[in-house]
Amino acid sequence: MAKRKIVTLPGDGIGEVVLQQTIRVLEAAGFEAEYIQGDIGWEFWRSEGNPLPQRTIDLLKEHKIALFGAITSKPKEEAFNELSPELQSKGLIYSSPIVGLRQHFGLDICLRPCRTYEGNPLNFIRRGTTGEIEEPKVDVAIFRQNTEGLYGGVEWSNPSEEVYNAFMTHPKFKKNFGATPKEEISISTRIFTKKATERILRAAFDYAKKYGYKSVTLCEKPNVIRETSGMMYQMAKSIQKNDFPEIELWNTNIDAQMMWLTKNPEDYGVIVAGNMFGDIVSDGFAGLIGGLGFASSAQMNPDTGIGVFEPTHGSAPKYADYKTSIVNPIAMIESAIMMLDFINENEIATNIRNAVAEVIKEGKVRTYDMMKMTGRADVVEKGAASTIQMADAVIAKLK
Ligand code: NAI
Ligand code: MG
């Protein structure tokens, strides 16, 4: 049988090292694949004016599965200034290549699990009523709508007459913003469609059913954002009632949810939200289980079988040039485990998952974040594991 092909998109900064080390782990676990590297990120914005070249899109279209490291994005002005001089007159506008990938391939289902590893010194703790220390076990799977909403990219500064006039037909726009000069107005829209909303809700309920979670929590703000959040809530109620009566539907507001995060995180199971609130709540939960070194993410289109698997952290440029890399590869390794789940390589997935859990439980090998050190070039001398040493430790625990 021909070897499976996996597209690797290291991107910028620490993306490359965490991806390399993850591939070592995959190979050691016996996952047979050929890796084909694709171009993505800041370097290609600067040199070609496009951080997501067409050839990369073609690669993913052909091979369907990608492991993605991280990219660097910079604000508008810096993006323009760093563009190579011959491209600066072309009117190019930077847009995030990862958002581009999501939208191009309709990777509308984003799953971000946050689970406590026993023995992780970064686990959230709190005090009980008699002063004892409690370490609640977090086990949530966050489903984030990944293509629409506030990150849908429909936005304007100093909108055209046509757009402005259309907004002026809305009584609240007219009342609250009608006196402000057009040039002083920026607008970012939050568009939800029924189709995509239904897909993310169903993905969340299906997952709850498959893995035995008792509840799905919709985390939005329907009392204020009445149209988009409101629609999502109505749809969630009807899907639950008609198709998942055995699973409870809970409804929390994003702001209150962030407060409850540290009060009762153990009560939540599957969480579902729109794009931005999903982003926020998943970072919030990630903080309870160790932060960015542990937060992984899958972005999938179950219809086409295309999936991109990436840690939620960025390119951490300040650590990118260290001679010995200090960053934690676990988030990237976890993302690769989700890739294995997606392509039904369950045995290998379980093997790696257990190996990571054992390393953390044993506590002998810890990257600087797990040692609660400030990230600096000398942390390895001071006893923290390097990125490579952490990958080695995981490999050593594979069965
Ligand atoms: P970041 O996630 O790159 O880094 C923030 C801090 O988190 C780091 O300074 C470090 O202390 C810690 N950290 C991140 N990854 C870690 C790891 N694997 N192990 C241990 N500690 C880790 O976010 P930041 O600094 O806000 O952004 C840097 C660049 O990354 C920006 O250009 C940003 O646009 C981009 N970014 C890209 C993302 C992506 O590729 N999906 C997501 C977030 C940011
Ligand atoms: Mg984020």
Side-chain angles (χ1 to χ4, degrees):
M1 211 174 82
K3 259 195 193 172
R4 175 185 283 283
K5 295 192 174 66
I6 304 284
V7 178
T8 55
L9 305 171
D12 303 305
I14 63 165
E16 184 160 341
V17 64
V18 293
L19 185 48
Q20 268 173 8
Q21 294 311 309
T22 296
I23 291 171
R24 280 184 60 225
V25 172
L26 285 166
E27 286 178 341
F31 177 60
E32 289 196 17
E34 184 184 327
Y35 297 93
I36 304 170
Q37 185 162 325
D39 298 334
I40 196 166
W42 199 248
E43 186 190 330
F44 301 96
W45 162 252
R46 296 181 65 169
S47 58
E48 300 177 26
N50 184 1
L52 177 60
Q54 182 62 38
R55 58 186 181 278
T56 305
I57 292 177
D58 294 341
L59 261 189
L60 187 54
K61 189 172 171 205
E62 186 179 350
H63 304 301
K64 291 188 182 303
I65 303 292
L67 287 171
F68 178 83
I71 43 117
T72 297
S73 290
K74 298 186 187 179
K76 220 168 160 178
E77 254 180 45
E78 279 175 70
F80 178 78
N81 292 335
E82 291 193 23
L83 202 52
S84 82
E86 69 277 13
L87 294 170
Q88 289 194 352
S89 59
K90 300 215 163 153
L92 299 167
I93 294 172
Y94 178 85
S95 68
S96 159
I98 184 67
V99 175
L101 272 182
R102 286 171 195 160
Q103 288 178 342
H104 183 89
F105 289 106
L107 305 173
D108 63 331
I109 310 294
C110 175
L111 167 58
R112 293 180 167 185
C114 292
R115 298 196 177 98
T116 305
Y117 276 114
E118 199 184 327
N120 186 350
L122 301 176
N123 287 343
F124 168 66
I125 54 169
R126 68 180 173 219
R127 214 173 273 289
T129 46
T130 54
E132 76 283 15
I133 299 288
E134 298 173 344
E135 189 174 318
K137 199 162 187 283
V138 177
D139 177 2
V140 299
I142 294 149
F143 281 81
R144 164 192 179 192
Q145 205 296 325
N146 213 27
T147 47
E148 305 191 329
L150 207 46
Y151 299 167
V154 183
E155 46 187 7
W156 304 267
S157 285
N158 187 13
S160 68
E161 283 297 329
E162 213 180 354
V163 170
Y164 180 79
N165 291 339
F167 273 98
M168 282 294 268
T169 65
H170 194 292
K172 285 216 174 120
F173 186 91
K174 195 166 177 187
K175 177 163 175 269
N176 297 328
F177 306 105
T180 307
K182 195 167 80 61
E183 310 74 54
E184 290 178 25
I185 292 180
S186 289
I187 301 170
S188 300
T189 62
R190 187 177 200 261
I191 301 171
F192 282 28
T193 65
K194 280 201 165 158
K195 186 175 169 196
T197 304
E198 173 153 4
R199 280 168 61 92
I200 194 70
L201 288 167
R202 286 199 179 277
F205 276 103
D206 282 337
Y207 188 92
K209 188 170 176 172
K210 182 169 174 194
Y211 293 103
Y213 287 92
K214 68 178 190 338
S215 65
V216 169
T217 303
L218 175 68
C219 183
E220 278 284 319
K221 185 111 184 170
N223 54 334
V224 178
I225 315 176
R226 306 182 82 84
E227 301 303 329
T228 45
S229 294
M231 179 180 87
M232 195 168 190
Y233 183 42
Q234 291 308 322
M235 291 177 75
K237 280 200 288 195
S238 115
I239 289 170
Q240 186 272 340
K241 185 163 170 256
N242 295 327
D243 298 328
F244 299 91
E246 71 282 16
I247 296 167
E248 287 176 40
L249 172 65
W250 300 353
N251 177 32
T252 60
N253 285 340
I254 176 68
D255 47 348
Q257 182 69 66
M258 296 313 283
M259 178 270 295
W260 281 323
L261 213 59
T262 49
K263 286 189 163 270
N264 62 339
E266 67 272 45
D267 291 347
Y268 298 95
V270 173
I271 292 184
V272 62
N275 206 337
M276 187 189 202
F277 294 163
D279 200 11
I280 293 172
V281 77
S282 59
D283 272 19
F285 271 101
L288 306 177
I289 57 123
L292 289 173
F294 292 86
S296 58
S297 140
Q299 322 192 69
M300 304 164 286
N301 181 336
D303 295 347
T304 58
I306 294 180
V308 176
F309 302 83
E310 59 153 334
T312 61
H313 63 70
S315 60
K318 61 183 175 184
Y319 305 144
D321 298 329
Y322 285 4
K323 229 172 93 197
T324 302
S325 173
I326 64 164
V327 294
N328 191 346
I330 290 178
M332 181 82 238
I333 295 171
E334 289 261 5
S335 307
I337 296 173
M338 282 204 275
M339 172 194 79
L340 295 169
D341 286 339
F342 187 65
I343 58 177
N344 293 317
E345 292 281 0
N346 305 89
E347 247 174 71
I348 302 176
T350 303
N351 189 5
I352 302 176
R353 203 172 255 135
N354 291 343
V356 171
E358 259 189 72
V359 171
I360 296 171
K361 192 170 173 185
E362 201 174 74
K364 286 191 197 150
V365 178
R366 289 174 169 171
T367 43
Y368 83 94
D369 52 327
M370 300 172 76
M371 308 274 283
K372 308 196 185 197
M373 291 173 163
T374 302
R376 286 190 6 200
D378 61 359
V379 294
V380 175
E381 277 162 48
K382 292 185 170 154
S386 67
T387 309
I388 294 178
Q389 286 167 337
M390 178 54 91
D392 286 342
V394 172
I395 289 169
K397 295 286 184 202
L398 291 168
K399 296 276 176 315

